Amino acid sequence: MKILEEAASRGAKTLSEHVSKQMLAAYGIPVTGETVAAKATDAVRAAAEIGYPVVLKASGESITHKTEMNLIALNLSSEVEVREAFTRLTSGGAAREVLVQQMIKGDRELVVGMTRDAQFGPCVMFGLGGIFAEVLQDVAFRVAPLSRREAMEMMDDIRAKKILQSFRGKPAVDREALADILINVGRMGLEQALIREIDINPLKVPGGRPVAVDALVVLQGEGT
């Protein structure tokens, strides 16, 4: 894909969150509504178009750990809050632009990923996401390409599989839609040789339908 080729020609190691999501969307994976803004006035305009509340995130190819670096502002509900967040996120040289994103609420956070194994090739990962992903490591793996049956089996392989059922008055996760995401992430790994890793975390589930709230595409480096 042209996006990947251009990034690789610049020597980029990762795609920005926004461009990573454009890649996902091209493969039919649902992503948040969002706009990149380089000025506070543009951020305010984007927030109004998306609809409050919104999230602001520092944006750029080199920014990969936004939460740890305090480069996210959540649940902004006014123009004043958006302007203040824009100023904070772009001060100090960390970023020159921000991602204005719809605020997706949901108690359930999942993770979907792809890693290119030296022996098996692209492998798809699914599990419990959010801040618990690294702590609990409740994940399942399959080698791409995935059949629909294999995608469904992955959902039942994690210890926290009950989280996919009806939860605190919220509907069950749409397993067919989730299977589509797992299958298509595998397709990305098979069809796009320049991609080394894909990380979708969190994948939230508003109304039972999974949506990629954050994403990162890591590119192949020299000798990999």
Short mmCIF file of all heavy atoms in Angstrom, two decimals, residues 121-146:
data_model
loop_
_atom_site.label_atom_id
_atom_site.label_comp_id
_atom_site.label_asym_id
_atom_site.label_seq_id
_atom_site.Cartn_x
_atom_site.Cartn_y
_atom_site.Cartn_z
N GLY A 121 5.29 -17.00 10.41
CA GLY A 121 4.76 -15.88 9.67
C GLY A 121 3.77 -15.09 10.51
O GLY A 121 3.83 -15.11 11.75
N PRO A 122 2.81 -14.39 9.88
CA PRO A 122 1.86 -13.56 10.62
C PRO A 122 1.00 -14.38 11.58
O PRO A 122 0.36 -15.35 11.18
CB PRO A 122 0.99 -12.92 9.52
CG PRO A 122 1.83 -13.01 8.29
CD PRO A 122 2.63 -14.27 8.42
N CYS A 123 1.01 -13.99 12.86
CA CYS A 123 0.19 -14.65 13.89
C CYS A 123 -0.74 -13.61 14.50
O CYS A 123 -0.31 -12.50 14.85
CB CYS A 123 1.07 -15.26 14.97
SG CYS A 123 2.17 -16.56 14.37
N VAL A 124 -1.99 -13.96 14.65
CA VAL A 124 -3.01 -13.06 15.21
C VAL A 124 -3.17 -13.33 16.69
O VAL A 124 -3.16 -14.48 17.14
CB VAL A 124 -4.36 -13.24 14.49
CG1 VAL A 124 -5.43 -12.32 15.08
CG2 VAL A 124 -4.19 -12.96 12.99
N MET A 125 -3.31 -12.25 17.46
CA MET A 125 -3.47 -12.34 18.91
C MET A 125 -4.79 -11.69 19.32
O MET A 125 -5.18 -10.67 18.76
CB MET A 125 -2.30 -11.63 19.60
CG MET A 125 -2.37 -11.63 21.13
SD MET A 125 -3.13 -10.11 21.76
CE MET A 125 -1.87 -8.90 21.38
N PHE A 126 -5.46 -12.28 20.30
CA PHE A 126 -6.69 -11.72 20.86
C PHE A 126 -6.71 -11.94 22.36
O PHE A 126 -6.27 -12.98 22.85
CB PHE A 126 -7.93 -12.38 20.26
CG PHE A 126 -9.20 -12.06 21.01
CD1 PHE A 126 -9.77 -10.80 20.92
CD2 PHE A 126 -9.78 -13.00 21.85
CE1 PHE A 126 -10.92 -10.49 21.64
CE2 PHE A 126 -10.92 -12.70 22.56
CZ PHE A 126 -11.49 -11.43 22.46
N GLY A 127 -7.21 -10.95 23.12
CA GLY A 127 -7.30 -11.13 24.55
C GLY A 127 -7.89 -9.96 25.29
O GLY A 127 -8.53 -9.07 24.70
N LEU A 128 -7.66 -9.97 26.58
CA LEU A 128 -8.13 -8.90 27.45
C LEU A 128 -7.20 -7.71 27.27
O LEU A 128 -5.99 -7.84 27.33
CB LEU A 128 -8.11 -9.37 28.90
CG LEU A 128 -8.91 -8.58 29.93
CD1 LEU A 128 -10.39 -8.57 29.59
CD2 LEU A 128 -8.69 -9.16 31.33
N GLY A 129 -7.79 -6.52 27.06
CA GLY A 129 -6.99 -5.35 26.72
C GLY A 129 -6.96 -4.29 27.80
O GLY A 129 -7.15 -4.57 28.98
N GLY A 130 -6.72 -3.05 27.36
CA GLY A 130 -6.62 -1.93 28.29
C GLY A 130 -5.36 -2.02 29.13
O GLY A 130 -4.35 -2.59 28.73
N ILE A 131 -5.43 -1.48 30.33
CA ILE A 131 -4.27 -1.43 31.21
C ILE A 131 -3.88 -2.81 31.75
O ILE A 131 -2.80 -3.00 32.28
CB ILE A 131 -4.49 -0.47 32.39
CG1 ILE A 131 -5.68 -0.96 33.25
CG2 ILE A 131 -4.71 0.95 31.89
CD1 ILE A 131 -5.88 -0.14 34.52
N PHE A 132 -4.79 -3.80 31.60
CA PHE A 132 -4.51 -5.13 32.13
C PHE A 132 -3.84 -6.05 31.12
O PHE A 132 -3.49 -7.18 31.44
CB PHE A 132 -5.80 -5.79 32.62
CG PHE A 132 -6.48 -5.02 33.72
CD1 PHE A 132 -7.67 -4.37 33.50
CD2 PHE A 132 -5.90 -4.94 34.98
CE1 PHE A 132 -8.29 -3.65 34.51
CE2 PHE A 132 -6.51 -4.23 36.00
CZ PHE A 132 -7.71 -3.58 35.76
N ALA A 133 -3.66 -5.59 29.89
CA ALA A 133 -3.13 -6.46 28.84
C ALA A 133 -1.77 -7.03 29.21
O ALA A 133 -1.55 -8.25 29.11
CB ALA A 133 -3.04 -5.68 27.52
N GLU A 134 -0.85 -6.17 29.66
CA GLU A 134 0.49 -6.64 29.99
C GLU A 134 0.54 -7.36 31.34
O GLU A 134 1.34 -8.27 31.53
CB GLU A 134 1.47 -5.47 30.00
CG GLU A 134 1.69 -4.83 28.63
CD GLU A 134 2.73 -3.74 28.66
OE1 GLU A 134 3.39 -3.58 29.70
OE2 GLU A 134 2.88 -3.04 27.65
N VAL A 135 -0.35 -6.98 32.25
CA VAL A 135 -0.33 -7.57 33.59
C VAL A 135 -0.89 -8.98 33.58
O VAL A 135 -0.26 -9.92 34.11
CB VAL A 135 -1.11 -6.69 34.58
CG1 VAL A 135 -1.16 -7.34 35.95
CG2 VAL A 135 -0.50 -5.30 34.68
N LEU A 136 -2.06 -9.16 33.00
CA LEU A 136 -2.73 -10.46 33.05
C LEU A 136 -2.32 -11.39 31.92
O LEU A 136 -2.40 -12.62 32.08
CB LEU A 136 -4.25 -10.25 33.02
CG LEU A 136 -4.82 -9.41 34.18
CD1 LEU A 136 -6.34 -9.29 34.04
CD2 LEU A 136 -4.49 -10.06 35.53
N GLN A 137 -1.92 -10.82 30.80
CA GLN A 137 -1.50 -11.62 29.64
C GLN A 137 -2.48 -12.74 29.33
O GLN A 137 -2.08 -13.90 29.15
CB GLN A 137 -0.08 -12.17 29.87
CG GLN A 137 0.97 -11.08 30.01
CD GLN A 137 2.38 -11.63 30.16
OE1 GLN A 137 2.59 -12.78 30.54
NE2 GLN A 137 3.36 -10.80 29.86
N ASP A 138 -3.74 -12.37 29.29
CA ASP A 138 -4.80 -13.33 28.98
C ASP A 138 -5.09 -13.24 27.49
O ASP A 138 -5.98 -12.51 27.04
CB ASP A 138 -6.05 -13.00 29.81
CG ASP A 138 -7.14 -14.04 29.66
OD1 ASP A 138 -6.90 -15.08 29.01
OD2 ASP A 138 -8.25 -13.81 30.18
N VAL A 139 -4.32 -14.00 26.69
CA VAL A 139 -4.41 -13.88 25.24
C VAL A 139 -4.40 -15.26 24.58
O VAL A 139 -3.98 -16.25 25.17
CB VAL A 139 -3.26 -13.03 24.66
CG1 VAL A 139 -3.34 -11.60 25.17
CG2 VAL A 139 -1.90 -13.64 25.01
N ALA A 140 -4.86 -15.26 23.33
CA ALA A 140 -4.83 -16.46 22.50
C ALA A 140 -4.20 -16.11 21.16
O ALA A 140 -4.31 -14.97 20.70
CB ALA A 140 -6.25 -17.00 22.30
N PHE A 141 -3.54 -17.09 20.52
CA PHE A 141 -2.87 -16.86 19.25
C PHE A 141 -3.34 -17.89 18.21
O PHE A 141 -3.65 -19.02 18.53
CB PHE A 141 -1.35 -16.98 19.40
CG PHE A 141 -0.70 -15.84 20.12
CD1 PHE A 141 -0.56 -15.88 21.49
CD2 PHE A 141 -0.24 -14.73 19.42
CE1 PHE A 141 0.05 -14.83 22.18
CE2 PHE A 141 0.37 -13.68 20.10
CZ PHE A 141 0.51 -13.73 21.47
N ARG A 142 -3.34 -17.45 16.94
CA ARG A 142 -3.55 -18.34 15.81
C ARG A 142 -2.68 -17.85 14.65
O ARG A 142 -2.44 -16.65 14.51
CB ARG A 142 -5.01 -18.35 15.35
CG ARG A 142 -5.99 -19.02 16.30
CD ARG A 142 -5.80 -20.52 16.40
NE ARG A 142 -6.86 -21.16 17.14
CZ ARG A 142 -6.99 -21.14 18.47
NH1 ARG A 142 -6.11 -20.48 19.21
NH2 ARG A 142 -7.98 -21.76 19.07
N VAL A 143 -2.24 -18.79 13.83
CA VAL A 143 -1.45 -18.45 12.65
C VAL A 143 -2.40 -18.04 11.52
O VAL A 143 -3.40 -18.72 11.26
CB VAL A 143 -0.58 -19.64 12.21
CG1 VAL A 143 0.17 -19.32 10.92
CG2 VAL A 143 0.39 -20.02 13.32
N ALA A 144 -2.11 -16.93 10.86
CA ALA A 144 -2.91 -16.47 9.73
C ALA A 144 -2.61 -17.34 8.49
O ALA A 144 -1.49 -17.85 8.37
CB ALA A 144 -2.61 -15.00 9.44
N PRO A 145 -3.60 -17.52 7.61
CA PRO A 145 -4.93 -16.93 7.63
C PRO A 145 -5.86 -17.66 8.59
O PRO A 145 -5.73 -18.87 8.80
CB PRO A 145 -5.40 -17.10 6.18
CG PRO A 145 -4.71 -18.36 5.72
CD PRO A 145 -3.36 -18.33 6.38
N LEU A 146 -6.80 -16.90 9.16
CA LEU A 146 -7.75 -17.47 10.10
C LEU A 146 -9.05 -17.84 9.40
O LEU A 146 -9.57 -17.06 8.58
CB LEU A 146 -8.09 -16.46 11.21
CG LEU A 146 -7.24 -16.48 12.48
CD1 LEU A 146 -5.83 -16.00 12.15
CD2 LEU A 146 -7.86 -15.57 13.53
#
